[in-house]
């Protein structure tokens, strides 16, 4: 009997320690993802906003309804963020890069681009469907190619972090 209980306990432990897909749903209530102190400082923008905060700006640029959507904290055994409710704002490589940096700065895992975008019918690359939202700037690394390597490449992205950020500039030309 004791052997059976120990075997059950061991199997339960193994099942609980297997990484799971992140079961995040963008929510209007609940906790918001934030970076651990002094992690991934190169991923912050020139306004000192974390990749989690920048990603929330992008998420909310497509949001309808009242209140802001929040990106939930990643859990220790999650495999990384996924797209559970595909939109043009979540099915693009810029959002994926920021969300990947957000997962990393929480000591979370990363998903391959192909796994992340699995539910997206028409993912876009290196573009933003709604432009850069007011109140934030997008770091250069977020516009890197994720398609060829099928992942967020920390080494090459960190090399291009710098303080050069993209903002939305409106140019009016009179004809």
């Amino acid at each position: 009997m004791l052997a059976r209980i120990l075997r059950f306990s061991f199997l339960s432990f193994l099942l609980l320690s297997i990484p799971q897909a992140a079961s995040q749903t963008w929510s209007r209530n609940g906790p918001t993802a934030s970076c651990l102190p002094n992690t991934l400082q190169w991923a912050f923008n020139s306004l000192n906003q974390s990749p989690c905060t920048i990603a929330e700006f992008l998420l909310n640029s497509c949001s309808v309804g009242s209140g802001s959507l929040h990106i939930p904290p990643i859990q220790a055994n999650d495999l990384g963020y996924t797209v559970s409710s595909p939109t043009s704002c979540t099915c693009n490589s810029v959002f994926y890069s920021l969300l990947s940096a957000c997962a990393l700065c929480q000591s979370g895992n990363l998903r391959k681009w192909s796994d992340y975008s699995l539910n997206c019918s028409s993912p876009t690359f290196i573009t933003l469907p709604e432009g850069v939202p007011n109140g934030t700037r997008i770091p250069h690394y977020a516009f890197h190619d994720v398609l060829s390597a099928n992942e967020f490449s920390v080494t090459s992205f960190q090399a291009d972090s710098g303080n050069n950020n993209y903002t939305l500039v409106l140019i009016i030309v009179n004809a």
Side-chain angles (χ1 to χ4, degrees), residues 115-161:
D115 294 333
Y116 169 82
S117 62
L118 191 62
N119 294 326
C120 300
S121 58
S122 301
T124 57
F125 307 97
I126 314 174
T127 62
L128 291 171
E130 300 295 323
V132 178
N134 289 329
T136 194
R137 295 190 177 138
I138 312 297
H140 276 185
Y141 72 82
F143 292 93
H144 272 242
D145 173 30
V146 296
L147 197 56
S148 59
N150 193 34
E151 66 184 354
F152 179 84
S153 171
V154 176
T155 307
S156 66
F157 287 32
Q158 184 176 8
D160 189 29
S161 59

Side-chain angles (χ1 to χ4, degrees), residues 11-169:
L11 289 174
S12 297
F13 170 77
L14 285 178
L15 287 174
L16 290 174
S17 60
I18 296 172
Q20 304 294 313
S23 59
Q24 79 286 359
T25 301
W26 321 128
S27 69
R28 296 194 193 283
N29 304 324
T32 300
S34 60
C35 293
L36 297 172
N38 302 315
T39 56
L40 246 62
Q41 291 299 305
W42 61 265
F44 283 58
N45 67 12
S46 61
L47 300 174
N48 202 32
Q49 294 169 332
S50 73
C52 304
T53 300
I54 303 164
E56 280 192 358
F57 269 100
L58 295 181
L59 178 64
N60 283 293
S61 68
C62 285
S63 173
V64 293
S66 61
S68 296
L69 289 172
H70 300 289
I71 295 171
I74 199 158
Q75 302 302 312
N77 63 339
D78 287 342
L79 291 174
Y81 288 110
T82 60
V83 177
S84 54
S85 302
T87 68
S88 59
C89 285
T90 58
C91 289
N92 69 71
S93 62
V94 176
F95 185 75
Y96 163 79
S97 293
L98 290 165
L99 207 56
S100 295
C102 179
L104 279 176
C105 77
Q106 298 173 76
S107 295
N109 296 309
L110 299 179
R111 281 193 172 272
K112 300 280 188 188
W113 164 255
S114 57
D115 294 333
Y116 169 82
S117 62
L118 191 62
N119 294 326
C120 300
S121 58
S122 301
T124 57
F125 307 97
I126 314 174
T127 62
L128 291 171
E130 300 295 323
V132 178
N134 289 329
T136 194
R137 295 190 177 138
I138 312 297
H140 276 185
Y141 72 82
F143 292 93
H144 272 242
D145 173 30
V146 296
L147 197 56
S148 59
N150 193 34
E151 66 184 354
F152 179 84
S153 171
V154 176
T155 307
S156 66
F157 287 32
Q158 184 176 8
D160 189 29
S161 59
N163 269 342
N164 298 320
N165 298 276
Y166 294 103
T167 57
L168 183 60
V169 176

